[in-house]
Amino acid sequence: MSLPSYDGYDSTGIEHYSIPSFKFISGASLDVRISYRSFNPAGGKAVIIPTCYGGRINDTLHFMGEDGVLAACHVIVVAMLGNGESSSPSNEPDFPKSIDYRDCINSQYELLTKHLGIKELEAVIGFSMGGQQAYHWACMYPQFMKYVIPICGSAKTSVHNYAFVEGPKAALINSIDYQDGAYRSKGTKPSRGLRAFGRTYCPWALSAAWFREGCYQDVGYKEVEQFIQAEWEDKFEKAWDAEDMLILARMWQAGDIGKTQQDGDYLKALQAIEAKVLVMPARTDTYFPPEDSENEVKYLKHGELAVIETIWGHMAGGGANPKDTKWMNDRIALFMDSKGLDLSAMKEAIDK
């Protein structure tokens, strides 16, 4: 089982843990590999950060810089199942046809407890699909962590979010070179489909204001077409396997912490969360809009809402804009160490 091999892939520090006969929620059983990177293993409190859709271990925002809120922590960035680093359709021919967020969390829990010897977490932090994993962590292992911080994610994928994902999926699946999934047996790559996926995905990831203000010029592109081709079409074609993208997209669409409850009620699942939860949507996120987060916080025992005021849309939560990243870092620091502090004054200072 190999790691991704495209030019530019960064395998620095990546380690692997094998789980024999791992039992998937679907009933399938398979030997799986969980890939991860352990930052500052001699540090104090442990924090896990699962990858997001389109994310690799070494491009995941980990708040470990010089002024990073997690600089003194032992941070474990873990690749979720299906992302091409851990076991996935691209590196395991017998990989199941579908996976569930609960599979990701169960495999990550085994990595932490049986391999790394971690008995508790200070926090679970995740962006996008990583945020959905953070919510699942809170429901499945409620006593294992103190804080949960979903960034631009949700406890349940909305109908609108589901419908969005159908667009890029359709662009890939209906491309002539996807060949109804037969491309791999023929030794080819669905390049047209992957590029179509990226082009379709692009405008949703950033806000209308971002494009209106020409922010693509701020990241080095004179024309928007250059930005779309280089940052979306080229990168998806070069870096991703079609079946990995599709199995993750289906898991994203099916995201629902209600599945951790016997009656399937996701609102009851929210109410049962014991950890302190900082919900961080971006103001202009079209995937996971702040209105959805506002509703979720109403049901949390120890929930707090902190909206990222940005025009960078969904991408703000992944570290795309340094200003937004600093705001998130400072806001997380406030949340994780607020005992005895004047919260209102500190929040006002951060917002300024």
Side-chain angles (χ1 to χ4, degrees), residues 269-282:
L270 283 169
Q271 292 170 332
I273 292 175
E274 296 293 337
K276 296 178 180 178
V277 185
L278 179 64
V279 182
M280 301 187 78

Side-chain angles (χ1 to χ4, degrees), residues 216-227:
Y216 49 86
Q217 296 177 343
D218 297 336
V219 294
Y221 299 96
K222 184 177 180 180
E223 303 293 340
V224 69
E225 182 62 27
Q226 297 171 330
F227 170 73

Side-chain angles (χ1 to χ4, degrees), residues 163-312:
F164 148 68
V165 179
E166 282 298 290
K169 279 173 55 184
L172 172 54
I173 292 170
N174 291 296
S175 66
I176 190 170
D177 53 358
Y178 181 70
Q179 302 177 75
D180 294 324
Y183 68 91
R184 187 176 292 161
S185 64
K186 297 180 181 181
T188 61
K189 183 175 185 176
S191 294
R192 289 177 62 175
L194 292 167
R195 296 183 72 83
F197 185 101
R199 179 171 284 268
T200 308
Y201 200 101
C202 169
W204 286 77
L206 297 147
S207 76
W210 190 92
F211 286 97
R212 185 184 311 117
E213 295 185 18
C215 293
Y216 49 86
Q217 296 177 343
D218 297 336
V219 294
Y221 299 96
K222 184 177 180 180
E223 303 293 340
V224 69
E225 182 62 27
Q226 297 171 330
F227 170 73
I228 294 171
Q229 289 181 12
E231 295 295 330
W232 297 92
E233 290 188 337
D234 292 353
K235 287 187 176 179
F236 272 112
E237 180 188 12
K238 179 178 77 169
W240 281 88
D241 175 84
E243 297 308 324
D244 290 353
M245 291 167 61
L246 290 170
I247 201 168
L248 291 181
R250 292 192 293 269
M251 180 164 64
W252 174 355
Q253 289 179 301
D256 181 1
I257 62 170
K259 295 176 183 178
T260 66
Q261 303 288 302
Q262 288 187 342
D263 62 3
D265 190 328
Y266 98 101
L267 295 180
K268 289 182 180 177
L270 283 169
Q271 292 170 332
I273 292 175
E274 296 293 337
K276 296 178 180 178
V277 185
L278 179 64
V279 182
M280 301 187 78
R283 178 64 67 193
T284 51
D285 191 343
T286 51
Y287 303 157
F288 303 96
E291 294 83 359
D292 292 347
S293 298
E294 289 169 6
N295 185 62
E296 290 175 352
V297 169
K298 294 176 184 177
Y299 295 90
L300 293 167
K301 294 177 185 175
H302 313 290
E304 189 174 332
L305 182 71
V307 180
I308 309 164
E309 299 294 347
T310 179
I311 66 169
W312 280 73

Side-chain angles (χ1 to χ4, degrees), residues 108-155:
Q108 292 166 20
Y109 181 78
E110 184 161 338
L111 165 72
L112 295 182
T113 58
K114 294 187 177 181
H115 181 55
L116 297 178
I118 293 172
K119 297 180 180 179
E120 62 180 3
L121 289 169
E122 180 73 358
V124 182
I125 302 175
F127 161 64
S128 192
M129 283 185 77
Q132 293 193 302
Q133 288 172 81
Y135 263 126
H136 279 76
W137 261 104
C139 294
M140 295 172 64
Y141 298 98
Q143 305 300 322
F144 197 68
M145 79 294 296
K146 185 175 180 181
Y147 303 109
V148 172
I149 304 174
I151 303 172
C152 299
S154 66

